[in-house]
């Protein structure tokens, strides 16, 4: 990068917040995208750590002047390479902007983009409220969670990030600082630019602050593992839970062989050994009475749905252990993983997608462990390393699974987004006109294509 | 309009679905916008009633060829003139496209745009499910509800239209038929064009079909009127209800003088006479037990919040009567009404907005009855006819109320949208850059500006 650009950056944020020493930037080059598919980062980059939206505005104006790409970066927990600097440019880390103010009367958190999920959960808790979503790694930052419209297991009751965010402050690629929405629950003034920016993965603007709706704190929760001998029974119970009027925090589908393997690697024991196909249902209610009522209805429904004896965990310790095992599936598989898919289908079609994966396993003699956010129809399929498999064979497998998800009325990514690694599949999902509109929108927001230039759009 | 354009329209949809006789088009010229503020409709229009998205595509291509404006029309229940044909053109009525298919296993309705809210409520009910939102007039059509991102009283538990819609089929102004989303609960592929079109009030595309998430049917409900001697107490109880973990279907704020007047005009009696400031809380739960538990907690909270004796209505008849009175506020006031405002503020600031309205009443010696969706911070202020008041004086009053809402961190319209009548206030809310981006988006979607050309944007 040009010497004078770096000097100007220093004059904007201060010398100490412009970092270019190799060992200091290393931690900013990659995210959690599995190694075999992640793109190579360019190391001719500087990491800039602004302290305010005004500084970000100046940085983006400078980037336009020198036509230098800017890569906004949150916690680096993404799985699609959306923040990887694939070409020379500026890595814009929001880490210093991490304040959170909770407005208890309006049940709103005003959170700066660099605050982490953990910070938000703790700030809500201290205020006697809760932030119910839990899209994985607690090191994820608010800006990234919103830019990537994160989801996760706990999206049933209160929805995904898009549903919780009521306002954002955003610096546009051309430098203007714009506030969209705020602490308001209804807002019908003009086109909803906020919802356009949510999910745009750092290509339409740099989110600097957000107003996020919090929830009352649930005081009573239980985690129930429900085993079934047949997969149809397990997944067939999901819509019945909803129709019964039970709205759990999460309904996860797991298979025993996988969770037992993960438990073992953690030195733990999976508490439900009676059958292969299992639902994990997390109930969370605002009173013990309400929890008992809902639990009773759920257990009645289990009987009518062909379940074997459910395991009910009510102590914090038991529940945490189950969740720990469930949460560590990804990290346990990661060393041997090529990719994690997150295709999403209408919930009742999840079974068809899993069957397709099983058929592919049989056909190719490979192992593709799955688990899913069953309440959302969101399936995680892991492509593992197999001897002699080339990139092309993985691509083929991925395309078959995506095509099947689309055929079932679904989509190729429900959570992780397109980022860098999935751009080549966008044309499978979207028609030519939609892509053309998206490209035109990008040009309107970012005429010089300086903000995360090679992401999202094919 | 040109003879040949009309002939071509007939060849697209069939002679009988192109209507130009004055008496037959009269019902298509206006919506529910109060007479004193609604724009004059142009009567040099034809009403076209297509039967499919393909026909709509052809109509829009024709409109581009002849540069004729097209005004999409749903149930005509809007309050901002968004569907009024202010210049010569084509009124596109979706009324013939009104099929609804309910997919019980996925809790989704696939509804054509011309189906009414009543149709949707009934179709969900027949399938053993429910559509919980109730944004007013049941003659509203699905396409309009989505295009205007309708809200209403029952938005607390399940959100506004934007939160219920998971996919749309839309015909773009340039004629392409595009499907965005579907029966999926998570979808992170590219920029969210669906959310851009939701709330665009028929200016970015013609919605022809939607996939709408339904909910389980609640089996037990109660309506509680909670009276307070002080307004602060009434509105101060709202965040306490939420923090207690009670999530009602609705929390409405009313003042006794208004609801008693409305009740009288309907030949009914308002059941709560003990104090002036009242909350109406509708609880709706999936079991009798759950309802009793929640009701008990609510009543305990009433005691602690300084309420007088609440009126609990549990029979269907009592509840319906309360709702009827509440729902008829608008129609009772309408004959003497100039405008109904729907400014929205952070819920805890509702009281400040009402106080501003009261001050204006005192200062000008006028009557501005208010009621509000207190859970959402959404206040309806009625500007009534007063002797000698000119348009300019009403404009001034409206501007003061809007300015105050903005000062309180709110917005000028939470539900009704901008349409035609509020365009001149958009610049109070949005900065120059946001408006510039919106105009550019409109140009991308609709290069010839044929679709509802004089709406939404200032």
């Amino acid at each position: 990068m040009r010497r004078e650009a770096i000097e100007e950056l220093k004059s904007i944020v201060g010398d100490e917040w412009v970092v270019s020493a190799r060992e200091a930037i290393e931690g900013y080059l990659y995210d959690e995208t599995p190694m075999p598919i992640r793109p190579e980062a360019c190391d001719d980059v500087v990491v800039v750590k602004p302290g305010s939206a005004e500084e970000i505005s100046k940085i983006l104006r400078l980037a336009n002047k020198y036509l230098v790409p800017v890569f906004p970066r949150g916690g680096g927990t993404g799985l699609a390479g959306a923040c990887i600097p694939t070409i020379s440019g500026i890595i814009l880390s929001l880490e210093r902007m991490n304040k959170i103010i909770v407005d208890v009367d309006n049940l709103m958190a005003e959170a700066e983009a660099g605050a982490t999920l953990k910070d938000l959960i703790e700030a809500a808790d201290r205020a006697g409220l809760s932030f119910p979503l839990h899209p994985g790694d607690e090191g994820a930052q608010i800006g990234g969670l919103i830019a990537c419209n994160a989801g996760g297991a706990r999206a049933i009751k209160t929805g995904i990030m898009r549903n919780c965010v009521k306002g954002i402050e955003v610096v546009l690629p051309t430098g203007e600082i714009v506030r969209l929405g705020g602490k308001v629950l209804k807002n019908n003034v003009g086109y909803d630019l906020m919802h356009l920016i949510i999910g745009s993965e750092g290509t339409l603007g740099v989110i600097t602050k957000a107003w996020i709706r919090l929830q009352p704190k649930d005081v009573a929760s239980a985690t129930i593992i429900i085993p079934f001998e047949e997969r149809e029974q397990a997944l067939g119970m999901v819509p019945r839970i909803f129709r019964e009027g039970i709205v759990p925090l999460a309904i996860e589908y797991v298979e025993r062989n996988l969770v037992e393997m993960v438990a073992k690697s953690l030195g733990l024991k999976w508490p439900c050994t009676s059958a292969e196909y299992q639902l994990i249902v997390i109930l969370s209610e605002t009173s013990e009475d309400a929890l008992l009522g809902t639990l009773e209805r759920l257990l009645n429904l289990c009987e009518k749905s062909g379940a074997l004896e459910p395991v009910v965990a009510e102590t914090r310790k038991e529940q945490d252990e189950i969740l720990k095992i469930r949460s560590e599936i990804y990290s346990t598989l990661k060393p041997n993983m090529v990719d994690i898919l997150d295709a999403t289908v209408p919930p009742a079609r999840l079974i068809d997608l899993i069957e397709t994966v099983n058929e592919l396993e049989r056909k190719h003699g490979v192992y593709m462990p799955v688990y899913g956010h069953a309440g959302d129809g969101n399936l995680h399929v892991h492509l593992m390393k197999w001897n002699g498999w080339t990139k092309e064979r993985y691509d083929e497998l991925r395309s078959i699974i995506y095509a099947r998800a689309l055929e079932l009325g679904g989509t190729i990514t429900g959570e992780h987004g397109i980022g860098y690694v999935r751009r080549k599949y966008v044309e499978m999902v979207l028609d030519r006109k939609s892509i053309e509109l998206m490209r035109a929108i990008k040009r309107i927001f970012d005429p010089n294509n300086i903000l995360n230039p090679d992401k999202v759009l094919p």
Side-chain angles (χ1 to χ4, degrees), chain A residues 36-311:
Chain A
I37 59 161
R38 78 186 194 189
E40 186 79 33
C42 172
D43 58 7
D44 179 20
V45 290
V46 288
V47 177
V48 180
K49 304 179 182 181
S52 69
E54 289 69 26
E55 288 180 6
I56 294 173
S57 166
K58 287 178 188 160
I59 295 165
L60 290 171
R61 290 186 199 275
L62 174 148
N64 276 288
K65 185 170 91 176
Y66 292 103
L67 297 177
V68 184
V70 175
F71 302 94
R73 184 181 180 86
T77 61
L79 293 162
C83 66
I84 298 179
T86 45
I87 46 180
S88 175
I90 297 166
I91 295 174
L92 191 74
S93 173
L94 281 286
E95 65 195 76
R96 288 175 61 210
M97 297 170 62
N98 59 3
K99 274 198 292 297
I100 297 178
I101 301 166
V102 174
D103 172 348
V104 177
D105 285 340
N106 287 307
L107 284 85
M108 287 275 182
E110 177 178 305
E112 287 187 335
T116 63
L117 174 59
K118 186 163 191 284
D119 296 336
L120 180 62
I121 291 170
E122 290 176 356
D125 188 64
R126 278 194 304 274
L129 296 169
S130 79
F131 177 68
L133 275 198
H134 202 281
D137 193 316
E138 292 189 2
Q141 292 176 7
I142 303 303
L145 288 166
I146 298 173
C148 298
N149 187 27
R154 297 197 192 164
I156 295 175
K157 205 168 182 172
T158 39
I160 51 178
M161 276 311 283
R162 184 181 296 287
N163 305 120
C164 304
V165 176
K166 302 302 168 192
I168 55 174
E169 178 188 78
V170 60
V171 186
L172 297 173
T174 39
E176 298 86 352
I177 302 172
V178 166
R179 180 183 157 153
L180 304 164
K183 290 183 190 174
V184 284
L185 299 173
K186 288 173 170 172
N187 182 7
N188 274 349
V189 180
Y191 304 155
D192 206 316
L193 300 182
M194 179 182 85
H195 279 289
L196 189 60
I197 288 168
I198 295 176
S200 68
E201 304 186 45
T203 66
L204 296 182
V206 179
I207 296 163
T208 48
K209 195 189 278 184
W211 291 271
I212 297 170
R213 179 77 163 174
L214 300 176
Q215 300 291 330
K217 204 184 271 193
D218 285 340
V219 297
S221 71
T223 301
I224 303 98
I225 307 178
I226 312 170
F228 297 87
E229 285 181 340
E230 303 294 334
R231 183 185 281 146
E232 289 83 339
Q233 295 172 313
L235 292 169
M237 189 170 162
V238 177
R240 300 180 70 170
I241 293 174
F242 290 129
R243 288 207 302 270
E244 183 70 25
I246 299 169
V247 185
L249 205 55
I251 307 179
E252 298 284 284
Y253 168 78
V254 294
E255 300 186 358
R256 191 175 55 142
N257 70 80
L258 179 61
V259 282
E260 284 191 340
M261 186 269 281
V262 175
K264 203 173 158 192
S265 82
L266 296 168
L268 295 170
K269 200 174 159 327
W270 185 251
C272 183
T273 57
S274 59
E276 182 58 22
Y277 307 101
Q278 308 189 349
L279 293 182
I280 309 173
V281 177
I282 308 180
L283 297 178
S284 181
E285 305 279 349
T286 54
S287 76
E288 281 292 344
D289 277 358
L291 178 69
L292 287 177
T294 310
L295 184 57
E296 194 188 324
R297 284 154 67 207
L298 181 69
L299 295 177
N300 282 338
L301 194 61
C302 285
E303 272 185 43
K304 286 188 267 176
S305 306
L308 302 184
E309 189 65 24
V311 173

